[in-house]
Amino acid sequence: MELPQMPELMGLSLLLGLLALMATAAVARGWLRAEEETCSRSAGQKANGFPLDKSLRSKKQKQQQRIRKEKPQQHNFTHHLLAAALKSHSGNISCMDFSSNGKYLATCADDRTVRIWSTKDFLQREHRSMRANVELDHATLVRFSPDCRAFIVWLANEDTLRVFKMTKREDGGYTFTATPEDFPKKHKAPVINIGIADTGKFIMTVSSDTTILIWNLKGQVLSTINTNQMNNTHAAISHCSRFVASCGFTPDVKVWEVCFGKKGDFQEVVRAFELKGHSAAVHFFAFSNDSRRMASVSKDGTWKLWDTDVEYKKQQDPYLLRTGRFEEASTTPCRLALSPDAQVLALASGSSIHLYNTRRGECFFACSQWRRNCRGAIQGPSRGLSHSLLDTRNSPALVLGHMAITSALSGVWKLPFPHYLRLTYWLLSASIDHIFLYLYPTLYCIFIYLFLHCREGTTL
């Protein structure tokens, strides 16, 4: 007596299924090989100077037209501390400055414009700005006057200062008028910073060699300071308008006093004191609001807080209050700012921001994710956070600008479509090659095992 041959039917159906799988894999492999031959043929025709096929040519033209029609994707950077993103410049932003009353922010870019923003609109959805055109040039540095009725810019091509006066109109807007004559050319090296004393008595410009110039408001040089630091990396005016300080290649910060008479006439510039304690070049420094504290950061990987409320005329030196570690400073130029009460120190270097408590010397806030969100700003032409403005004159809050236009940041993290196709094709073709390499002997063994097993179990 024989039973129905069910195991043989099961083995036959399994075999047919495996054959169907092999056929499908063979078809896929043939399709991939055909695609590869088509791509290689088109590349060879293009390399040999022959025209491409009409179908390939039309596809390429359609892709180019589609790319042209696509608008640049706006960069949507989000952060829980971000108050506003100001978007009006069409070029790379090089500098910004807040007015002394805190009502306005001035930004300049290489699109030949300076824009004045109202800070009361920062928390609104729309941010309006007023535009001042820089004719036949563009500004690299901008600073407000103490009375907020004018601002000065440093011209990139002319290498000189230009003054713009702000006249308020009846409708609430402003008219910007440049003075008839620019300041004379005096610097022999690129200018790295400018400043206006809060008293409005003088203007400072510093170049990358060893020169600091003190100007009056009419464009006349009052004094020339030779820093003797090999080269300057930064110079600034204290908020009390008494001091001018500089740092550079040497491991110290030099401070001078700009002296005026009782009638407001300029007298002289004298050496006041020095901040000595670093073992390498100083990147940056900052004054507190009352100029009783100073902070510095050096290439030796440390930052220092100083007590500068001393009687320097009696040869009394500043006191070192605190030293902290900041390893990024040893490899990357960085900037810093002090809060108005000198209790918080902000350090920006490359793509990181760190906030330190100056009493304990501890870092209580660190953000190193800016590279992930604005890589174009850091590796593109706008130079990123290492050239950011950190301003804390009138508010305990930290104000940070990363100096980059929005369009320069679009599409950075998009994987280009042709590379994606090539990557997928390579993975798929490699997988199929491995399938065919091991599939044939495996299927053969399975078929022999099922055949013998079915023959043994079909009879009683």
Side-chain angles (χ1 to χ4, degrees):
M1 182 178 177
E2 293 184 0
L3 295 175
Q5 298 179 357
M6 293 299 295
E8 293 182 358
L9 294 177
M10 292 176 60
L12 182 61
S13 61
L14 180 60
L15 179 61
L16 292 176
L18 292 175
L19 291 175
L21 178 61
M22 292 173 59
T24 304
V27 172
R29 186 181 185 186
W31 176 76
L32 290 173
R33 286 182 176 177
E35 290 290 330
E36 185 178 6
E37 291 177 359
T38 304
C39 295
S40 61
R41 189 186 306 114
S42 61
Q45 289 178 355
K46 186 175 180 181
N48 295 328
F50 295 104
L52 298 176
D53 296 338
K54 292 183 178 179
S55 59
L56 296 176
R57 192 185 310 164
S58 60
K59 289 181 181 179
K60 188 175 181 180
Q61 290 177 355
K62 289 181 181 179
Q63 289 179 357
Q64 291 178 353
Q65 291 177 358
R66 192 181 299 113
I67 292 173
R68 291 174 184 174
K69 290 181 181 180
E70 289 180 355
K71 295 182 179 179
Q73 181 181 359
Q74 294 294 324
H75 178 71
N76 297 320
F77 172 74
T78 58
H79 194 274
H80 68 282
L81 297 178
L82 181 64
L86 309 179
K87 305 174 183 179
S88 284
H89 283 289
S90 60
N92 295 321
I93 299 173
S94 56
C95 187
M96 60 186 76
D97 186 51
F98 281 88
S99 59
S100 59
N101 57 12
K103 294 182 178 180
Y104 302 105
L105 170 68
T107 59
C108 64
D110 58 10
D111 58 1
R112 297 185 177 183
T113 64
V114 176
R115 291 191 175 269
I116 309 298
W117 310 79
S118 176
T119 56
K120 67 179 182 181
D121 296 335
F122 282 0
L123 299 180
Q124 306 298 325
R125 296 187 60 181
E126 296 183 358
H127 308 117
R128 297 173 296 176
S129 64
M130 298 170 288
R131 185 180 68 183
N133 296 322
V134 182
E135 297 182 358
L136 305 176
D137 211 328
H138 70 272
T140 58
L141 299 168
V142 60
R143 294 290 181 267
F144 268 110
S145 64
D147 58 2
C148 305
R149 296 181 180 178
F151 61 87
I152 62 173
V153 298
W154 184 262
L155 302 179
N157 298 327
E158 293 295 331
D159 291 327
T160 185
L161 278 174
R162 179 173 294 178
V163 180
F164 285 84
K165 294 183 179 180
M166 303 169 55
T167 305
K168 195 168 185 178
R169 301 194 303 262
E170 295 181 356
D171 58 356
Y174 282 88
T175 301
F176 305 101
T177 306
T179 54
E181 295 183 1
D182 298 333
F183 279 35
K185 298 180 182 181
K186 296 294 184 178
H187 284 284
K188 298 179 180 180
V191 169
I192 58 176
N193 197 22
I194 60 176
I196 306 178
D198 287 347
T199 57
K201 293 182 178 181
F202 66 94
I203 296 173
M204 179 217 67
T205 59
V206 54
S207 55
S208 60
D209 48 9
T210 59
T211 304
I212 298 177
L213 295 181
I214 306 298
W215 309 72
N216 63 11
L217 302 183
K218 297 181 180 180
Q220 299 174 348
V221 177
L222 300 177
S223 179
T224 301
I225 302 174
N226 185 3
T227 62
N228 293 318
Q229 293 175 317
M230 300 290 290
N231 67 282
N232 299 326
T233 57
H234 180 61
I237 305 173
S238 64
H239 299 300
C240 65
S241 301
R242 289 180 57 192
F243 304 110
V244 170
S246 73
C247 63
F249 183 78
T250 57
D252 52 9
V253 178
K254 297 181 179 181
V255 183
W256 293 265
E257 182 181 6
V258 184
C259 302
F260 285 85
K262 295 182 179 180
K263 296 182 180 180
D265 54 328
F266 172 78
Q267 292 182 343
E268 61 178 347
V269 176
V270 297
R271 176 75 67 87
F273 53 85
E274 295 182 4
L275 306 180
K276 295 181 178 181
H278 288 291
S279 59
V282 178
H283 291 307
F284 211 85
F285 66 88
F287 290 93
S288 63
N289 268 16
D290 55 6
S291 301
R292 299 174 62 185
R293 298 288 186 271
M294 288 184 67
S296 59
V297 59
S298 170
K299 196 176 180 180
D300 60 8
T302 64
W303 60 265
K304 296 181 183 294
L305 181 69
W306 309 83
D307 180 2
T308 55
D309 187 17
V310 296
E311 297 183 3
Y312 56 89
K313 294 183 179 179
K314 297 181 180 180
Q315 307 300 318
Q316 187 177 2
D317 295 328
Y319 297 101
L320 177 62
L321 300 177
R322 181 72 60 184
T323 299
R325 294 296 303 175
F326 187 61
E327 298 297 339
E328 287 86 343
S330 59
T331 57
T332 310
C334 56
R335 293 195 171 194
L336 61 82
L338 272 175
S339 61
D341 56 1
Q343 299 299 317
V344 177
L345 174 67
L347 288 164
S349 175
S351 59
S352 65
I353 305 169
H354 293 75
L355 301 182
Y356 286 84
N357 185 318
T358 56
R359 287 186 176 181
R360 297 187 299 269
E362 300 175 352
C363 178
F364 65 90
F365 175 83
C367 180
S368 59
Q369 303 299 321
W370 294 84
R371 181 180 298 276
R372 182 176 302 172
N373 294 292
C374 37
R375 179 179 176 183
I378 296 169
Q379 297 184 353
S382 54
R383 298 175 292 180
L385 293 177
S386 60
H387 288 266
S388 301
L389 174 70
L390 297 166
D391 196 321
T392 53
R393 282 184 294 177
N394 303 286
S395 172
L398 174 69
V399 181
L400 174 69
H402 58 76
M403 297 185 186
I405 57 175
T406 306
S407 60
L409 304 176
S410 61
V412 173
W413 290 103
K414 274 188 176 180
L415 185 63
F417 190 62
H419 296 281
Y420 177 76
L421 284 180
R422 286 197 291 270
L423 179 62
T424 308
Y425 171 73
W426 179 82
L427 290 175
L428 186 57
S429 60
S431 301
I432 290 179
D433 289 339
H434 283 82
I435 288 173
F436 278 96
L437 182 62
Y438 299 106
L439 186 61
Y440 288 127
T442 305
L443 290 178
Y444 180 75
C445 294
I446 292 174
F447 174 73
I448 296 298
Y449 172 78
L450 291 175
F451 179 75
L452 296 176
H453 183 71
C454 290
R455 282 181 62 87
E456 292 176 358
T458 53
T459 59
L460 291 176

